[in-house]
Amino acid sequence: MPKNKKKIGAYWASSCGGCDVALLGLHEKILDLLDFADIAFWPAATDFKYEDLKGYGKNELDLTFFNGGIRTTENEEIAELLREKSELLVAYGTCAHQGGIPGLANMSEEVDLFDTVYKGTPTSTNPENIFPQESTKKDGQTLNLPGLQERVRSLDRVVDVDYTVPGCPPPPDLTEDFLDLLVKGALPEKGSVVAGTKSVCDECSREWNRETIDELVRPQETEIDPDKCLLDQGIICMGPVTRSGCDGSCPEANMPCKGCFGPPPEVEDQGTEMLNSLASVLQLGEEGQALEQEKELLSDLPDPIGTFYTFSLSNSILGGKVSEGGENDRT
Amino acid sequence: MEFEPKLVGFLCKWCSSAGADLAGVSRKSYPPNLVPITVNCSGRIDVNHIVRALKDGADGVLVSGCHPGDCHYTSGNYKTWRRVALLKHVLEDFGMNPDRVRLEWVSATEGEKFARTVEEFTDEIKELGPGPFSNAKE
Amino acid sequence: MAIKPRIGVFICHCGENIAGTVDVSGLAEDIIGYDNVAFSTDYEYMCSDPGQNKIKEAIEEENLTGVVVAACSPSMHEETFRGAVEDVGLNRYQCEIANIREQCSWVHGEDGDKPTEKALKIIKGVVEKVKRNVSMEPVEREHADKCLVIGGGIAGIQAALDVAEAGNEVILVEKEPTIGGHMAQLSETFPTLDCSQCILTPKMVELNQHPNIELLAYSEVKEISGYVGNYSAQIERKPTYVDTDACNLCGDCEDVCPVEVTDEFNQGLDTRKAINIPFSQAIPSSYTLDTDACLGLNPLRCSECAEACDADAIDFDQSSEYVEEEFGAVIVATGYDLYPKEEMGEYGYGKYEDVVDGLQFERMLSATGPTGGVVRRPSDGKIPENVVFIQCSGSRDPENHNSYCSKICCMYTAKHAKLYKETVPDGNAYVFYIDIRAGGKDYEEFIQDVQEEDRVLYLKGKVSKLKRVDEKMRVWGLDEIAGERVEIDADLVVLAQSIVPSKGTDETSKKLNLNLGANGFFKEAHPKLRPVESLTGGVFFAGTGQGPKDIPDSVSQGSGAAAKAIDLLSKPTLSHDPQVVEIDEDLCSGCGLCVGQCPYDALEINSRGVAEVNEILCEGCGTCASGCPTNALSLRNLTDEQLTEMIHAHIGD
């Protein structure tokens, strides 16, 4: 074992597992990584227990890739523990960065979530209405499960994050680039999102004309012109409000950008920015001649939160479902 | 103590702020809850500004610009019209009463309309009660 | 921020206007603790000399970087206070007004402490803005000195003359071989009945002889690009095959020319030769050889005209010349056409010879027209005894034709009926109308005179059917006032045909990036307040291209457009309000969403793939800054940060 070999950790919180697969997606590059570092903690791939993690000293791990959002008390506890044990903590993938798709659950109350997951789905059979409990006593033993928190939060809302590698999941070359920078000791300023600094439009090769948009259509409802800007074709593409760095892979594959890289540097709320941009340019015919029709079209837009806040609801200004009456948290 | 809503008003300089001035000149009184911000054009108002105001504790936001066809910059108000329309739809999905955001066309000659708009809006928000992130004293 | 802002807040009592409702001295005390407020005071009348001096002294003594005057509306004294701060070297944009009179004290007189609380919030908001303001200087840019006038009808002629009289060089481009436009075709003009050519031709001559005007007739603007003050145009001079200077108008060429074609100037009521002059007073006064009609510009086929010309003025070898010029201002005076026959199914227009339009009737009435001023019906040359005039033909008919009112038809129809009655005193004139619009000076009196003195019969109602019966045009209509159907056997029917933008309007709008309204006429920058300006800076409208109008209105608008052009050209440089949009190229992705949102075409994506603003064209509305998805665009001195901080200041905690 060479001297000064680094120790690397990886962890999954509230996520689908795709980010762990994305790490393996480095293929032979992962061998280069192993020349440079040992894996010191990676529950998805190797047999480590939390006790092992607790045994490490402060900052003993040189770097930890943390994927997934913070959904449970366990997620939060381990995030704090990993923060303590890691020199550099990397929010890896959209869920750690923006809350991701699990963040859409912020539109629902816990009771409704449980009802859907453990009873409501077509594959659920639960005649006795058994739902997970944080604490269950049986035969004199107590079994504890982590509690669900009120909201899904991105990692940086819970602990300090040093770097973010965005994407759902992060494309392999982005992870490689990050590792190259790490190996060379050339990482940018702390707090950086290690991707592009503009929007997906910067990388998208489609041609735009910015004339009127005649209608809004879903990709499956139309034959998409492979050369024209999707927005010009009336397809909601999140490219304009999504950070670059993916080489425009979705629009290049004839599908609209869904926004997985999160907002560009100066945008606070990706979804709000997009709805604002879309409304600004959604013009049916000559400007001012079809106001009522435009209003109707926009007011009937199906599933606006799912459309505009697919990955970023947790980090949006409103953060999720709010209730009237002034008792919502303003942080 | 009665709920006194905090209201932010974005007024375009050419029509609505001039309309508010006319309300002043003609001494059309209205409740003091709405604090005005004059902007060049209602088109300068971005959905983010409105959401920001609501999140920071406003109980309601008024956006007021020139009547359709009269925009000093010809078409800024049409952009605002669409932005507010979509925002209201989204706010409703978020669980917020979309009536907390109001768009009203007020021309430079409509001092009375401005005063009446603010009065109505204040009453309406009083009726609705504090907004989701309200910091108004109750 | 390099220097910590030091803001001074000056609270005006405005006598009792503010102080009677708002606790002004309390405000001055409260605001001093607020971030970056280095000085505050209150005074009875801030706008007075002593009030302004207080501001000036404080700027100097307290090293203020910004000033907030809490007083009346900025529309009252913003200029006053900005002038004052400038006197002591502070940039004028570092001074802002907090309106605590019109929008506070005057409307909250009965609300106890609340007006004071609201005033404090307003002031805090403006402090947040001012402390982030940047100093700005007006944007200055050089401009070209010439004016381009497109279209040589009466509006374009008037505009060109006015601009030239003010000492500017003008190039007038007319696509026809002569200037004069439709006015040259008219017989007399309402309501004074001056002979149209008698009042027009002196202006045509004046224009032609004006040292500052270059007339390019039979020419077209092929390309034009640029922006306010700096347009460059390429103009094609089509060959007339006649040397204008050599031609002495003897007419020998015309006499020998073997080709006869329809005469457009006489609205098809007559024929002309392939080589022709539209009318004897045409300017430039020279013949033009119409190549579409000519046998072929080839001496082997026919060279009768060239052989007949003693002046050797005919030159078959001429070809198009291209003139490249720079212009500071452009006046578009491209005029109107009649609503085409092909679009009209009713009234037998284009089907029956004895159904003519207003311009054809003008030519019949004209002493220089095909009938020498005697009204004769086209089919057999007979003088008509019964003439039916139908108003609103193609106008005010949203279901079938144009929804708008063509504005001039009521008046010219009355004139037509009057002139007809004067030449055929025993004849009968009937006018079908929807209603009479005679809203010009002396217009209503004219109509009354036609109805009462000339005994023209006005029938309120529409014509339902029109058909040829033997030699007559039988007209069925409704007299709504009498409540009965009427049937008239007319010798001649005259349609007050709707007017539409001239044929090239669409093309011109594209070349100059001009907007067209729903009816296809040019769209002005503001329907009430900027009626002669287009949204494209430095391009102005004159005449009927912008909407139907009569001669006095066209002339007025010609002068109005000229005044705007002169105003622009007379400035040594173009100066522009510096509150424009700025672009952070590091954030701009070149998505182009801003480009379509700008009503002034001030934005483009440049060769580096990022947005670029033309500061001369930007009017500073900030719509694009709000619509920019990456926040790469911001409006100077009204940035997102400023707005956000103002919101914070207002809501507080």
Side-chain angles (χ1 to χ4, degrees), chain C residues 529-542:
Chain C
L529 302 176
R530 297 173 70 190
V532 303
E533 292 162 78
S534 75
L535 276 174
T536 304
V539 179
F540 310 108
F541 298 127

Side-chain angles (χ1 to χ4, degrees), chain C residues 405-535:
Chain C
C405 166
S406 291
K407 198 171 176 180
I408 57 175
C409 319
C410 288
M411 290 307 295
Y412 79 60
T413 298
K415 176 192 75 179
H416 286 166
K418 184 182 190 66
L419 294 175
Y420 165 71
K421 289 284 286 181
E422 281 176 6
T423 54
V424 189
D426 296 335
N428 299 308
Y430 305 90
V431 176
F432 283 94
Y433 69 101
I434 302 179
D435 30 44
I436 299 297
R437 295 179 173 182
K441 191 176 182 185
D442 300 332
Y443 286 9
E444 181 56 29
E445 293 88 331
F446 183 80
I447 297 274
Q448 283 173 14
D449 188 54
V450 170
Q451 290 177 335
E452 285 157 23
E453 298 300 319
D454 296 306
R455 314 210 63 80
V456 170
L457 187 59
Y458 271 72
L459 298 164
K460 183 174 173 68
K462 281 197 162 183
V463 167
S464 57
K465 201 162 116 186
L466 185 153
K467 203 174 141 192
R468 184 164 198 116
V469 177
D470 302 326
E471 307 220 317
K472 304 272 186 181
M473 302 305 308
R474 183 163 294 167
V475 179
W476 288 270
L478 184 68
D479 178 353
E480 286 178 17
I481 293 171
E484 46 190 47
R485 293 170 182 283
V486 286
E487 189 179 310
I488 301 164
D489 279 340
D491 299 296
L492 183 69
V493 174
V494 183
L495 304 180
Q497 193 65 3
S498 180
I499 65 178
V500 294
S502 69
K503 215 172 119 208
T505 301
D506 210 28
E507 210 181 319
T508 308
S509 77
K510 289 196 178 100
K511 278 182 198 150
L512 275 162
N513 228 339
L514 304 172
N515 293 346
L516 299 179
N519 297 320
F521 291 98
F522 290 117
K523 194 171 177 180
E524 56 286 339
H526 193 285
K528 290 126 200 162
L529 302 176
R530 297 173 70 190
V532 303
E533 292 162 78
S534 75
L535 276 174

Side-chain angles (χ1 to χ4, degrees), chain A residues 268 279-280 287 301 317 324, chain B residues 52 55 82 89 97 100 131:
Chain A
E268 181 185 12
S280 302
E287 183 67 297
L301 188 83
I317 296 174
E324 286 282 328
Chain B
R52 209 357 105 196
K55 179 67 186 280
R82 294 191 294 260
H89 178 39
N97 192 319
R100 295 197 182 276

Side-chain angles (χ1 to χ4, degrees), chain A residues 96 153-159 161 268 314-316 331:
Chain A
R153 287 172 293 168
S154 61
L155 182 62
D156 66 343
R157 306 271 164 125
V158 179
V159 294
V161 166
E268 181 185 12
S314 290
N315 277 8
S316 66
T331 50

Side-chain angles (χ1 to χ4, degrees), chain B residues 6 17 21 30 40 44 56 135, chain C residues 73 99 108 626 648 651-652:
Chain B
K6 287 190 178 177
S17 193
D21 282 356
Y30 53 86
N40 296 16
R44 176 68 192 93
D56 285 352
N135 62 13
Chain C
S73 165
N99 180 349
H108 307 311
S626 294
H648 281 312
I651 300 168

